[in-house]
Amino acid sequence: MMNEGANKGILVATSGYGPDAYDFVKDKPIELIDGGGLLYLLEEHTGLKAKIVMPAK
């Protein structure tokens, strides 16, 4: 991020993050957004009520 001149990074996942991910971003300008947070932001800012569907194997 710093090499690109960014002040902050946002990492979005459709599921969740484990404790190691939160430990890694601690004291770093990185925000983790999990699946629930992503759905919330979509509805809050666009009015879309979405859901995350995992593909069949």
Side-chain angles (χ1 to χ4, degrees):
M1 290 182 331
M2 305 300 185
N3 292 341
E4 299 300 324
N7 295 326
K8 179 180 180 180
I10 301 172
L11 186 60
V12 181
T14 55
S15 58
Y17 297 100
D20 289 341
Y22 290 103
D23 287 342
F24 176 76
V25 301
K26 187 179 177 184
D27 300 323
K28 291 183 177 76
I30 301 173
E31 182 178 350
L32 300 177
I33 299 177
D34 63 7
L38 174 61
L39 294 175
Y40 170 79
L41 290 170
L42 280 170
E43 186 172 358
E44 184 74 13
H45 295 282
T46 68
L48 291 173
K49 194 134 178 96
K51 65 180 180 176
I52 298 170
V53 179
M54 301 308 280
K57 289 185 177 183

